[in-house]
Amino acid sequence: MMSNDYAEGLGRYSHDVLIHDTDEQLVDAVWSFVRTGLSSGGNVLVHSDERRVALLRDALGTHPRLEYGLDRDLYQSPMATLFDYQRAMRQDSSGRARWVTGTVPMTEGPATPAAWARYESAVNEALGSFPFHALCTYDTQALPAHVVAAARATHPHVSDGTTRGPSPDYLDPGEFLTSPLAETPAAPVGTPTLAFTLQSPVDLAAARRLIRSGAATTTAPAKSREDLLAAASEVLANAVEHGGPPVDVEVWAEAGESRLTCRVTDHGGGIANTMAGYRYPDSRSALGLWVARQLCEDLVIGEGPDGGCSVLLLVA
Amino acid sequence: MLSNAHSFGWDGHLLLVHHTELERREGVAAWVGHGLGVGGKVIYFEAPDRRDSSLVETLAGRHEDAMSRGQLQFLPVPAEVYSAQGQQEIVDEILAEGYPSVWLTAEAEVGRRATSADTHAEAERAMDQLCRFRPVSALCQYPADLDAGTLHRVSGLHTGGVMSTLLRTRPRPDGIALAGEVDCTNADVLATVLTARSSRSRSRRFVVDLHRLDFLDVGGTRALVEGTAGFRQRGGIVQLREAQPLVRRILGVLEIDRTPGVEVEDR
């Protein structure tokens, strides 16, 4: 039986993981989570594949504040999904908390399971300031052990829907990025196809022309190339204005390949926060990075060889 | 290299805003090239005490024929330039020589040193009128580091729009058209031009035509919002029209259509 303590213990934001090996465990936990959400006045979303949605709909029934969704509509790419949730939370004027339960469809679509694991970790940063509750369900029968291990590292709490406790394996988002489970992307090992240096904001337009011409040799879709260009321009503007010139730019764009990588390295005081740009910005200076994250498939903030800040941008 | 911003219409009373000497020269050279290309007579007014020698050399080298037949001239700025009547006489004289159009340019600095601020502003106003009703283009060269108040005033005096290496603005009856690129180096110029132009709008709707704008960043988007803030606060609607995909994407990510008084019209 569920207690009020359970609902209160969730606080304003919670991101729990259920690790299960049977459908019964799944249905029990989801049923509890949904009931807590509805009884506390929240809007609830249950998402999964067709089979599970049918299963859960049979068990949970309908309610004016209960919605069912299909993974393939909601989870197309990690960054788009993350910022869609953030946008929905920001634009929600109902005053109700949002409750979401389901499995991130890690093994379908172009994004790797590790990219989805980084997404799960970044959720804590991007949505942590909103009235948001998630119970992410991981089926040990269907998912490889390293995927389940990553789930334990990206969810602050483990829950079965009625009892919950801190996950002993949880890592802060910034820490998780350095874990092998995250498989955080690195720059390609080969020589960049294009390398140049910026001294001041006046060089930005020339830098964009160079990146545009480099990207044109790849088979990356026009939209991806333009997104990378716009994201790189924001990062470059930050680097010359707030980081420290000279700013080195490297582009890896192999003819005939769709992958496009750009690295921007400044000579300033170094990294303030490797998770910068996930939270909805409250200051003007952070806006560029927040936009850049939404335009890239991956944006990794790290340390440059001379102690400055280095930002890796990727599209495919 | 010149961006798309330079091929966006050349006539009228234009404001050339330059960050660097190189930008100034490129802008002037492109404008001179166009004026000569359409058969007009181009006069570069210089300070009496200071010849703009390297730009003169560049232009003279590039347009040797035009120089030798007097189609391109470099002259010390005459006192007539600072009065409406004097300006008309200069224009009449050149048209009487058989040229179809008149192209005049100078650094604003030259005028500001030669006369009082009031006289200079009066001369700019007179030139603006002249450019509207006669076949005259005047390109006034201003450094980009003007303070905001001066830039606002000056952009109101140049109804032909702004020309810079990256950005070109052009008035249209219901608003303004933009071409080129906007980033942190020229967002302030865009905001000022928008403020000056939208504050004169008597209609409820102010159109910003984006179809020739190739690039807009976060700072540029902010300029679109801030430059029209006064107009929108008075109840006006700003319509952002025909954005290219990249620009549309930035507007979308920043949810600009949720800003009160801003509409994004898709192609």
Side-chain angles (χ1 to χ4, degrees):
Chain A
M1 190 60 205
M2 198 168 343
S3 66
N4 284 333
D5 290 352
Y6 174 78
E8 276 165 25
L10 294 173
R12 188 174 138 90
Y13 167 85
S14 63
H15 185 207
D16 295 2
V17 63
L18 166 78
I19 293 163
H20 67 97
D21 41 36
T22 66
D23 278 351
E24 288 69 35
Q25 288 169 322
L26 174 75
V27 172
D28 282 355
V30 170
W31 186 83
S32 297
F33 178 83
V34 169
R35 219 185 57 162
T36 311
L38 292 175
S39 64
S40 69
N43 289 317
V44 182
L45 168 68
V46 175
H47 68 83
S48 194
D49 57 24
E50 271 100 343
R51 183 187 76 85
R52 286 228 175 108
V53 164
L55 180 76
L56 291 165
R57 197 193 290 268
D58 278 350
L60 304 169
T62 59
H63 187 281
R65 284 184 279 109
L66 173 58
E67 196 189 336
Y68 294 92
L70 292 173
D71 295 336
R72 64 161 182 266
D73 299 330
L74 297 165
Y75 290 79
Q76 290 172 343
S77 81
M79 285 307 111
T81 303
L82 185 64
F83 286 99
D84 278 353
Y85 272 124
Q86 193 188 60
R87 188 166 293 113
M89 294 302 308
R90 252 189 16 259
Q91 295 178 359
D92 190 341
S93 54
S94 69
R96 297 178 186 278
R98 189 164 299 227
W99 296 65
V100 178
T101 180
T103 309
V104 174
M106 307 229 151
T107 50
E108 289 158 38
T112 62
W116 282 112
R118 295 196 297 279
Y119 156 90
E120 286 275 42
S121 181
V123 162
N124 302 314
E125 187 70 23
L127 304 181
S129 58
F130 293 102
F132 181 81
H133 300 282
L135 178 67
C136 301
T137 60
Y138 282 72
D139 183 350
T140 58
Q141 302 299 302
L143 295 166
H146 68 274
V147 169
V148 176
R152 292 183 188 277
T154 56
H155 294 78
H157 288 84
V158 182
S159 171
D160 64 6
T162 44
T163 54
R164 66 195 289 268
S167 170
D169 303 317
Y170 177 68
L171 298 172
D172 279 333
E175 257 179 282
F176 179 72
L177 276 181
T178 64
S179 144
L181 290 167
E183 296 175 28
T184 301
V189 283
T191 316
T193 23
L194 202 64
F196 54 94
T197 300
L198 272 78
Q199 296 292 347
S200 83
V202 175
D203 299 333
L204 283 169
R208 286 194 295 270
R209 276 196 290 275
L210 284 168
I211 295 171
R212 199 190 283 269
S213 67
T217 62
T218 66
T219 58
K223 179 174 176 292
S224 302
R225 284 186 271 134
E226 299 219 310
D227 283 356
L228 182 94
L229 180 76
S233 189
E234 297 297 342
V235 170
L236 282 169
N238 272 349
V240 287
E241 282 193 311
H242 309 297
V247 174
D248 299 320
V249 184
E250 297 155 286
V251 178
W252 289 265
E254 292 298 320
E257 276 188 29
S258 69
R259 194 166 181 73
L260 192 53
T261 310
C262 176
R263 182 165 64 185
V264 175
T265 307
D266 68 33
H267 289 78
I271 318 160
N273 172 13
T274 57
M275 299 304 283
Y278 277 117
R279 286 202 179 228
Y280 181 65
D282 50 11
S283 75
R284 288 178 159 195
S285 60
L287 198 59
L289 209 48
W290 179 75
V291 167
R293 283 216 189 264
Q294 299 186 58
L295 297 173
C296 287
E297 243 151 81
D298 261 304
L299 187 154
V300 183
I301 302 176
E303 192 177 313
D306 300 332
C309 181
S310 167
V311 180
L312 190 70
L313 306 112
L314 297 99
V315 296
Chain B
M1 198 195 302
L2 295 174
S3 72
N4 191 9
H6 275 301
S7 54
F8 196 48
W10 302 85
D11 47 335
H13 191 209
L14 301 169
L15 180 62
L16 174 72
V17 179
H18 54 87
H19 289 88
T20 63
E21 177 59 15
L22 187 65
E23 281 190 8
R24 183 178 77 86
R25 287 202 211 169
E26 281 188 346
V28 172
W31 176 87
V32 167
H34 185 80
L36 295 174
V38 297
K41 175 153 178 167
V42 180
I43 301 183
Y44 192 115
F45 287 124
E46 295 175 286
D49 55 338
R50 185 174 65 102
R51 292 215 58 162
D52 199 346
S53 55
S54 64
L55 179 59
V56 173
E57 272 169 39
T58 308
L59 291 173
R62 216 181 274 184
H63 306 288
E64 222 172 303
D65 291 353
M67 283 281 283
S68 61
R69 64 176 173 260
Q71 193 190 352
L72 171 62
Q73 289 188 320
F74 296 87
L75 301 174
V77 59
E80 290 84 359
V81 161
Y82 303 113
S83 77
Q85 200 192 338
Q87 291 173 3
Q88 298 223 28
E89 284 166 13
I90 293 170
V91 167
D92 287 341
E93 208 171 296
I94 294 170
L95 294 175
E97 290 174 40
Y99 288 104
S101 56
V102 179
W103 301 69
L104 308 172
T105 185
E107 283 187 87
E109 166 75 12
V110 172
R112 283 216 300 262
R113 279 190 294 144
T115 180
S116 71
D118 284 351
T119 307
H120 187 239
E122 205 44 59
E124 288 277 39
R125 250 187 293 280
M127 186 58 80
D128 205 64
Q129 289 294 314
L130 199 60
C131 290
R132 278 201 227 179
F133 301 113
R134 307 293 299 276
V136 181
S137 172
L139 180 72
C140 303
Q141 308 165 30
Y142 281 83
D145 58 4
L146 295 175
D147 63 89
T150 308
L151 188 59
H152 177 84
R153 189 176 52 76
V154 163
S155 68
L157 290 172
H158 294 79
T159 52
V162 166
M163 183 171 149
S164 66
T165 306
L166 282 185
L167 174 69
R168 182 80 172 81
T169 76
R170 199 75 190 146
R172 43 181 278 167
D174 54 358
I176 195 167
L178 311 181
E181 305 178 34
V182 185
D183 63 20
C184 60
T185 63
N186 57 6
D188 54 340
V189 173
L190 175 61
T192 306
V193 172
L194 284 171
T195 306
R197 181 99 190 120
S198 63
S199 64
R200 276 179 192 78
S201 171
R202 289 204 192 86
S203 123
R204 188 167 166 267
R205 187 169 302 271
F206 183 78
V207 172
V208 183
D209 178 345
L210 301 173
H211 90 278
R212 291 192 59 184
L213 189 69
D214 301 322
F215 184 82
L216 179 77
D217 75 352
V218 167
T221 308
R222 191 182 299 136
L224 288 176
V225 172
E226 290 179 358
T228 58
F231 175 74
R232 289 182 290 108
Q233 273 156 20
R234 292 192 303 274
I237 304 285
V238 171
Q239 200 172 57
L240 306 178
R241 226 177 247 183
E242 289 194 66
Q244 295 181 28
L246 184 150
V247 171
R248 183 68 188 86
R249 183 116 158 89
I250 294 286
L251 297 175
V253 167
L254 289 168
E255 297 163 33
I256 232 59
D257 54 346
R258 294 177 64 83
T259 309
V262 176
E263 289 176 5
V264 179
E265 192 197 75
D266 286 304
R267 277 168 192 251

